[in-house]
Amino acid sequence: MAGAGTSRVWHPNTQADEWGRFPEIVRGDGMYLVERGGRRLLDGVASMWCNVWGHSRPELVRAMHEQAKAVPHSPLFNLTHGPAEELAGRLVGMAPGMHRAFFSDDGSTAMEAAVKMAIQYWANGAEGGDGARRKKIACLEGGYHGDTFGAMSVGYVPEFFSRFRGSLFRAIRFPSPGGAGDGSAMEEEAAQRCLGAMEEGLAGDDAVAALVMESGAQAAGGVRIYPPGFQRRAARLCRESGALLVLDEVATGLGRLGSMAEYAAQGGPRPDIVAYGKMLTGGCLPMAATLANKRVHGAFGGRFADRNHLFHGHTYTGNPMAAAAACENLRLYGSEGLLGRVRRSSAILGGLLEGARWPGGAEVRHKGLLAGVELDAPGGGASLNRILFEEGRRRGVYLRALGSIVMLVPPLAIGEADLRRLVDGASGAARAAAAALSGKGAGARGGGPSRGGPRRRRA
Ligand SMILES: Cc1ncc(COP(=O)(O)O)c(C=O)c1O
């Protein structure tokens, strides 16, 4: 344990006073994190949704080690290097219609870069200068794109960001399409509401620079799986309006929902800009990428005096160790047939979620290896996250809740036995947490635990 008076670490998105001390991780062992003292925790959230192969996969360790011996960091300012060149080629090859890769450090920075690219595209006089007035960004309610100011402005989740509300730039917000991706009539109605507002908002406003949205699902904003056909129709509306389409695949691409480029699986017009992060280095080092098509990249050329080049960069942009890890990671995706494994694991996970005993009133939403179980848990007092974590830990599973949602987001290469352990541990911890939050010693709020009783689900 670490903390309580001696630690100087300020933990992210955490009320540390509620915790006092934090378990200290000293090493990883495959799908497990190992605490000082030896307790093993199955990594049920892929160390914040980024781990692919489990911890310390030898090929990734070797790639980082070899690169560290050659040069741990050299910049992309005035220079280039092999790992960044190879990775850009791999990413552009993987993402249909993309032409260039811009590197940054995290999902938030990838999205900051994406929004700046979209705004500067028009400011540079693209398309004959007709779009100089295109400065507004449109987005979806319930979307989440990171914690920096631009990302908060286009991914405003009130629960996370209300304290900053007055300092964000104004964005046009369309209703969330919501849903569990089950194609129900209710879901189609929500999708129609969103698409109707989008059609009106985009067609009627020639000052919109871009529509920014997550691809495939809204992840951190509530694990909302898009209804079938929604993204394709949204992309079409965007294309017809002339605004750029910016997709965020930080959480949902690179195999999380079962495809490398989720937009290719969704169909419809391709994005102009798309962002990746999280799983890019297999969960080893921070790195993200913002990819742009020829239409966008073409507006950034010319002479220096034109001042059309992208006004954005970070010290560690394209860090060679991270890029080497990412190249090796993507190589392994191919040689290990990872996407096929994810699709098989997704079916297994769907069955396990269905058969598990969740607290009464729980709603399960799932696609690929992204799952959220929304509890009918009361707010206020101790956080669900705090109680769930401790209950998960007692059962040997590292869990984290987002608001009232228990997240199950394992490493992509997880096997069946560990998936079973994850769902058993998470459902047991959820029942215990729901009981504790409702003030009851056993059972759960809303009629007690039920097997196979969640309201909606997605296999
Ligand atoms: C869709 C999406 N975009 C962006 C981000 C921000 O990524 P990061 O936390 O790496 O800055 C996240 C993080 O969860 C995300 O889910």
Side-chain angles (χ1 to χ4, degrees):
M1 285 281 194
T6 55
S7 174
R8 296 288 172 255
V9 176
W10 192 332
H11 290 260
N13 289 318
T14 300
Q15 177 46 269
D17 289 345
E18 187 188 51
W19 292 68
R21 300 170 88 81
F22 295 90
E24 183 183 350
I25 298 302
V26 291
R27 66 187 174 86
D29 179 12
M31 300 293 153
Y32 290 76
L33 292 165
V34 184
E35 290 183 19
R36 183 174 297 288
R39 189 195 291 250
R40 291 163 60 80
L41 298 178
L42 175 61
D43 193 346
V45 290
S47 289
M48 298 313 285
W49 316 357
C50 66
N51 190 284
V52 173
W53 304 102
H55 296 274
S56 303
R57 170 98 187 195
E59 292 92 330
L60 298 182
V61 172
R62 203 173 308 125
M64 291 186 288
H65 186 223
E66 290 303 315
Q67 186 56 45
K69 284 192 293 183
V71 57
H73 182 60
S74 70
L76 292 181
F77 294 88
N78 297 359
L79 300 169
T80 193
H81 54 75
E85 293 291 341
E86 181 184 337
L87 182 58
R90 282 181 175 277
L91 288 170
V92 162
M94 163 204 108
M98 294 300 120
H99 180 61
R100 288 284 171 134
F102 178 88
F103 294 114
S104 63
D105 312 319
D106 297 285
S108 310
T109 53
M111 286 307 296
E112 290 287 335
V115 170
K116 283 180 69 176
M117 268 178 205
I119 289 174
Q120 197 187 328
Y121 170 79
W122 295 109
N124 279 0
E127 306 186 22
D130 287 350
R133 70 195 158 279
R134 288 192 181 265
K135 295 187 167 100
K136 298 186 203 169
I137 301 291
C139 56
L140 300 186
E141 282 170 5
Y144 173 82
H145 302 289
D147 283 0
T148 51
F149 267 88
M152 286 194 292
S153 300
V154 299
Y156 181 72
V157 180
E159 196 180 337
F160 304 161
F161 302 140
S162 60
R163 295 291 196 274
F164 305 102
R165 190 167 184 180
S167 307
L168 305 179
F169 71 69
R170 287 167 71 90
I172 301 164
R173 259 172 258 289
F174 303 125
S176 167
D182 58 9
S184 66
M186 204 171 78
E187 203 165 275
E188 185 51 30
E189 213 175 283
Q192 280 306 339
R193 221 179 1 262
C194 176
L195 291 165
M198 211 178 253
E199 185 164 20
E200 201 174 307
L202 292 178
D205 189 347
D206 63 1
V208 178
L211 169 67
V212 177
M213 57 188 258
E214 284 161 90
S215 186
Q218 295 184 316
V223 190
R224 304 274 167 198
I225 314 294
Y226 291 157
F230 165 76
Q231 184 165 326
R232 190 170 58 239
R233 286 178 282 168
R236 226 176 267 145
L237 289 175
C238 185
R239 179 66 71 241
E240 284 163 13
S241 79
L244 298 177
L245 176 62
V246 176
L247 291 181
D248 181 346
E249 298 214 348
V250 168
T252 52
L254 298 181
R256 176 59 65 194
L257 298 189
S259 302
M260 293 305 275
E262 176 59 23
Y263 66 82
Q266 295 281 336
R270 293 165 176 170
D272 298 288
I273 299 172
V274 60
Y276 295 94
K278 290 205 183 275
M279 290 160 292
L280 185 55
T281 65
C284 293
L285 287 169
M287 171 170 255
T290 309
L291 312 187
N293 64 9
K294 258 190 182 153
R295 172 190 180 189
V296 170
H297 184 257
F300 288 78
R303 296 170 307 125
F304 175 75
D306 299 333
R307 304 193 70 70
N308 279 345
H309 58 278
L310 180 65
F311 286 91
H312 193 78
H314 299 283
T315 304
Y316 283 98
T317 291
N319 171 259
M321 278 176 71
C327 288
E328 186 58 34
N329 180 40
L330 295 180
R331 231 185 325 268
L332 285 170
Y333 269 67
S335 63
E336 300 262 328
L338 186 64
L339 291 188
R341 284 167 63 179
V342 168
R343 289 176 192 152
R344 285 191 292 279
S345 296
S346 171
I348 293 167
L349 177 60
L352 291 170
L353 289 167
E354 184 122 353
R357 288 170 61 223
W358 299 104
E363 178 170 317
V364 178
R365 298 188 286 271
H366 156 239
K367 185 174 183 185
L369 288 180
L370 172 74
V373 181
E374 184 158 10
L375 303 188
D376 188 11
S383 66
L384 168 65
N385 176 50
R386 174 75 184 98
I387 301 171
L388 181 84
F389 173 79
E390 214 39 74
E391 292 294 339
R393 185 168 173 248
R394 281 176 356 109
R395 293 164 173 79
V397 183
Y398 169 34
L399 295 173
R400 190 166 158 82
L402 272 175
S404 59
I405 302 178
V406 179
M407 302 297 299
L408 291 88
V409 194
L412 296 184
I414 193 168
E416 183 168 354
D418 282 332
L419 271 178
R420 197 172 292 280
R421 240 169 251 138
L422 170 60
V423 175
D424 282 351
S427 55
R431 289 197 306 274
L437 285 167
S438 69
K440 293 177 191 163
R445 199 165 167 265
S450 56
R451 181 179 292 280
R455 280 178 273 143
R456 295 161 82 199
R457 54 172 62 91
R458 164 81 178 170

